[in-house]
Amino acid sequence: FCCDAFGWSFHTQGRNINGRRLKSILYCESVSKVADSNCFSRKNIGKKIAVLASLSLFNTLQYPQITHAIGSLFEFRSQNLVLQDVSFNVPTPTIDAEVLNALFVNKCNTLRSSAGKEEIVIGFGPDAFAQPNGFMPGVSSFSMYGGHATLTLKSNALSDGTVEIYEKGNGLQYIKIGAEDIRLSKGIEKGANIKYAYGWVDLDTPGNIPVEVVVGITRDPIMIACIRVSNLQQSIQFFTETMGMSQLPFPLSRAPGSAFEPAMPKDAVYMGYSESSMGVLLKPTIKGDPPLRVGSQLNGFTVIVDDSSKSGQVKGSYSAPIASILDRLSSDAKLDEASRTILSPDGYPFIIKPFSQFSQQSTTILEPNL
């Protein structure tokens, strides 16, 4: 009943989380809360019913009417933009993909790749914004659910074997991943460079992609892209007015104050489209920092934009740069990536991809891994 009507899903865990042995985890997207098995007392159930009634869900016993959305997933019912992917230029995509898959115990999988492996898309589950056939809430693993963020690994290796070397830059600080299981020994064996491993883990992949790993529970393990900005207020204005993001609470995969997860850096600001999808952490430059260089290793951030017929109702909510790209795409679907890119004040590239194109490429796993 709860799963069908309110988008709740149950996950049975046998782990010690923050000193407690959790038996059952209830994830309720409607109230964005993770609770342990004690939440099923009569008092707490009554509180949940009151919350749901106030959200006008309890009277209808069905999802609210969707006026515009990316796909059909409940979590994205009110979104027409999603930060979906971060892409990197690396010498050998297969090596970085193998490191991350080994590090996360075969849970960070290749979703699709080009014929010559020059481009590999990896993630912790299908990225299609639709519930896979056969997915059963409370039974299927959440890794089988849709709407997962991705990392794209690209290479411009020439036919003679020559590999281009990319400048790492100092703008992207890390990609934060919150996962339930990690195997550092397997990651090291494949070539991960561990820089810090006390409480949480900071590492570089063989292609120099910086990753921060926290052992915890999240809706989607790929949580945050942290970037350094030279002018915080100017960047906030760009992400708000041009990219359509909002300032959101800093996402955590553990209890607030945990010694096993770093807190939000001082004076930093977290921006995103919703608490259900990946966001961007803006870390201001401080006195003494070297000049900011985005570098060529970071290829770009991909933002999925609803371009369906129903999105005409909300096109006024898109900024002029995004609306302009959508208009050009409507007459030229093969518009190249550079023509679909919006640069931030510091030069970070944000690539606009219409949902109609993304849905043709996205991956849906049909058979659940029970």
Side-chain angles (χ1 to χ4, degrees):
F1 167 77
C2 288
C3 291
D4 290 339
F6 307 122
W8 291 4
S9 57
F10 292 86
H11 304 279
T12 300
Q13 308 289 336
R15 309 184 185 284
N16 287 306
I17 305 295
N18 298 324
R20 296 183 301 164
R21 182 75 172 175
L22 299 190
K23 296 181 180 178
S24 299
I25 298 289
L26 168 63
Y27 179 79
C28 175
E29 185 64 34
S30 301
V31 295
S32 299
K33 180 178 180 181
V34 174
D36 61 20
S37 55
N38 293 329
C39 74
F40 297 106
S41 66
R42 180 175 300 178
K43 179 180 178 181
N44 285 330
I45 289 176
K47 288 181 179 179
K48 287 178 176 55
I49 292 174
V51 170
L52 293 172
S54 69
L55 294 172
S56 301
L57 293 172
F58 195 75
N59 291 330
T60 60
L61 300 183
Q62 61 184 0
Y63 294 140
Q65 182 65 37
I66 297 176
T67 56
H68 63 276
I70 293 289
S72 58
L73 292 179
F74 179 81
E75 295 90 337
F76 302 94
R77 63 195 178 279
S78 60
Q79 287 182 241
N80 58 345
L81 300 113
V82 175
L83 178 59
Q84 174 59 27
D85 179 86
V86 187
S87 54
F88 297 93
N89 296 309
V90 295
T92 312
T94 52
I95 293 178
D96 286 67
E98 288 173 1
V99 166
L100 293 173
N101 190 41
L103 179 68
F104 295 109
V105 200
N106 301 320
K107 292 182 180 177
C108 185
N109 298 305
T110 297
L111 302 185
R112 53 191 172 274
S113 62
S114 60
K117 302 290 184 181
E118 295 90 359
E119 181 172 313
I120 298 177
V121 179
I122 60 175
F124 287 83
D127 55 350
F129 289 92
Q131 183 168 298
N133 293 334
F135 180 85
M136 293 179 284
V139 178
S140 302
S141 166
F142 191 70
S143 63
M144 303 303 299
Y145 194 62
H148 288 269
T150 56
L151 303 177
T152 298
L153 310 173
K154 310 176 79 171
S155 172
N156 290 329
L158 304 178
S159 57
D160 63 359
T162 303
V163 176
E164 183 176 351
I165 302 300
Y166 302 99
E167 181 194 2
K168 181 177 181 178
N170 58 13
L172 178 72
Q173 303 298 288
Y174 55 81
I175 299 295
K176 180 179 179 179
I177 297 179
E180 296 179 50
D181 300 296
I182 63 171
R183 293 285 291 276
L184 287 183
S185 61
K186 294 295 184 182
I188 294 171
E189 180 182 311
K190 293 291 185 179
N193 175 25
I194 308 297
K195 299 184 293 184
Y196 179 88
Y198 185 78
W200 63 88
V201 179
D202 290 328
L203 63 89
D204 284 343
T205 68
N208 282 325
I209 299 174
V211 180
E212 179 181 276
V213 181
V214 175
V215 178
I217 298 174
T218 61
R219 180 199 174 275
D220 183 14
I222 301 177
M223 301 172 64
I224 295 171
C226 177
I227 60 175
R228 190 157 67 92
V229 296
S230 57
N231 185 313
L232 182 60
Q233 293 306 316
Q234 188 180 34
S235 294
I236 291 174
Q237 183 178 9
F238 166 78
F239 283 102
T240 303
E241 298 179 4
T242 302
M243 299 310 301
M245 295 185 182
S246 303
Q247 293 189 40
L248 298 173
F250 182 65
L252 297 170
S253 61
R254 304 181 68 94
S258 171
F260 300 99
E261 181 171 23
M264 185 167 73
K266 182 181 178 181
D267 298 326
V269 173
Y270 180 69
M271 307 291 296
Y273 292 113
S274 84
E275 296 181 30
S276 297
S277 56
M278 175 173 56
V280 180
L281 180 63
L282 308 180
K283 184 179 179 181
T285 296
I286 60 176
K287 186 177 180 180
D289 282 345
L292 194 155
R293 304 186 325 277
V294 173
S296 58
Q297 182 194 59
L298 176 64
N299 183 72
F301 300 90
T302 298
V303 175
I304 306 300
V305 181
D306 181 16
D307 64 328
S308 62
S309 57
K310 63 186 177 184
S311 69
Q313 307 170 26
V314 293
K315 269 197 173 179
S317 64
Y318 296 145
S319 67
I322 293 179
S324 174
I325 291 173
L326 288 179
D327 286 340
R328 282 180 283 153
L329 280 166
S330 63
S331 58
D332 182 8
K334 295 183 179 180
L335 196 66
D336 62 27
E337 190 173 277
S339 301
R340 295 185 284 111
T341 298
I342 301 172
L343 296 179
S344 77
D346 289 305
Y348 293 102
F350 285 81
I351 304 161
I352 303 302
K353 176 173 280 191
F355 178 69
S356 59
Q357 289 185 9
F358 173 77
S359 59
Q360 296 173 12
Q361 304 167 350
S362 58
T363 300
T364 301
I365 301 175
L366 300 180
E367 294 298 327
N369 181 20
L370 302 179

